[in-house]
Amino acid sequence: MNLSLITICYNSQNSIEKTIESIENQTTNDFEYIIIDGGSTDKTIDIINKYKIVDKLVSEPDNGVYEAFNKGIKNATGEIIGVLNSDDTFYSENSLKVISDAFDDETDCVFGDLIYTNHKNEIKRVWKGSPFNKGSFKTGWMPAHQTFYCRKNIYEKYGIFDESYKIAGDFELMLRFLEKNKIKSKYISQTLVNMKIGGILKAGMQGLSKL
């Protein structure tokens, strides 16, 4: 099963290397790696170009994270699409294998757990997921988007990210896929991603609380 992994970044010279090394250290190599850069002016591109694991690099200005995600999806050739953004890392060397192995013919998407850490690598929060049930989004439930892997044909059928959103486009997309269009999902009861606190994450969580 071929998988497309997307990283979006901008002026990420202090964090992009850890993200790439996390991907390079995965025990499976059945994936393509796409980086969508917003036109960095620091050393981000120089660092990316050191790594042969990067299959596609697009570096140009964009209008926000959801346009960047959509560029990645449009460039993806894999059957499955997921994201790991700059400053985030996989929780273990087996994370991608666990994700790939979770897919079967009856599964459209999978998602799991993640931890939030600060730059001292101290765990500050744990996002423990659960299986999707109809009406879950109304209770405040949502998957951790950084662990959300979905078949490309679902994006083709039901649409990509709505770029009119600034911080809640991931919530809207997963609600549209799971609640409205009833795609078949599977919850992986394992920690898959280590996410750094701050930036768009912090803003996004504050925005979601107002929905």
Side-chain angles (χ1 to χ4, degrees):
M1 176 186 299
N2 185 253
L3 183 150
S4 294
L5 184 62
I6 300 165
T7 293
I8 66 171
C9 62
Y10 176 70
N11 284 348
S12 302
Q13 65 180 18
N14 295 325
S15 60
I16 189 67
E17 197 151 26
K18 289 182 180 179
T19 302
I20 296 174
E21 288 176 349
S22 169
I23 294 166
E24 190 174 52
N25 290 334
Q26 290 299 295
T27 56
T28 180
N29 60 6
D30 186 21
F31 64 90
E32 68 172 351
Y33 184 34
I34 301 167
I35 297 182
I36 306 297
D37 174 76
S40 290
T41 57
D42 62 1
K43 296 180 180 179
T44 298
I45 301 302
D46 292 334
I47 294 170
I48 292 170
N49 285 332
K50 290 166 46 181
Y51 290 89
K52 294 181 180 179
I53 195 171
V54 180
D55 296 297
K56 297 179 185 178
L57 169 62
V58 177
S59 183
E60 60 189 15
D62 55 52
N63 292 315
V65 295
Y66 299 117
E67 182 183 11
F69 283 142
N70 285 340
K71 287 181 184 179
I73 293 169
K74 292 171 183 176
N75 275 276
T77 63
E79 180 184 353
I80 307 298
I81 297 175
V83 301
L84 187 75
N85 293 323
S86 177
D87 211 25
D88 300 335
T89 57
F90 283 117
Y91 182 72
S92 80
E93 295 178 353
N94 292 316
S95 290
L96 265 184
K97 186 176 187 307
V98 169
I99 291 164
S100 295
D101 288 349
F103 278 91
D104 55 36
D105 292 342
E106 301 299 318
T107 304
D108 294 319
C109 72
V110 303
F111 49 86
D113 305 333
L114 65 78
I115 58 172
Y116 300 103
T117 60
N118 61 20
H119 286 278
K120 295 180 181 180
N121 216 34
E122 300 167 329
I123 297 175
K124 292 299 182 180
R125 182 183 170 193
V126 176
W127 188 321
K128 180 67 176 175
S130 61
F132 168 73
N133 294 300
K134 183 175 176 56
S136 291
F137 283 92
K138 294 180 181 179
T139 68
W141 176 96
M142 68 174 285
H145 177 239
Q146 300 77 11
T147 72
F148 184 81
Y149 285 69
C150 188
R151 293 190 184 275
K152 185 177 183 180
N153 62 11
I154 296 297
Y155 287 99
E156 293 170 342
K157 187 174 183 180
Y158 299 122
I160 52 181
F161 288 93
D162 184 338
E163 295 175 18
S164 68
Y165 286 88
K166 298 300 182 184
I167 58 174
D170 48 349
F171 179 90
E172 186 278 332
L173 179 134
M174 291 186 290
L175 184 149
R176 182 180 356 125
F177 284 3
L178 291 162
E179 192 74 62
K180 181 179 179 181
N181 292 294
K182 301 177 176 61
I183 70 171
K184 297 177 181 178
S185 64
K186 181 183 292 184
Y187 165 61
I188 302 170
S189 184
Q190 293 187 40
T191 302
L192 302 175
V193 173
N194 179 354
M195 180 177 230
K196 286 291 183 281
I197 292 175
I200 192 66
L201 164 66
K202 185 176 181 180
M205 293 303 294
Q206 290 172 342
L208 287 173
S209 69
K210 300 176 182 178
L211 292 178

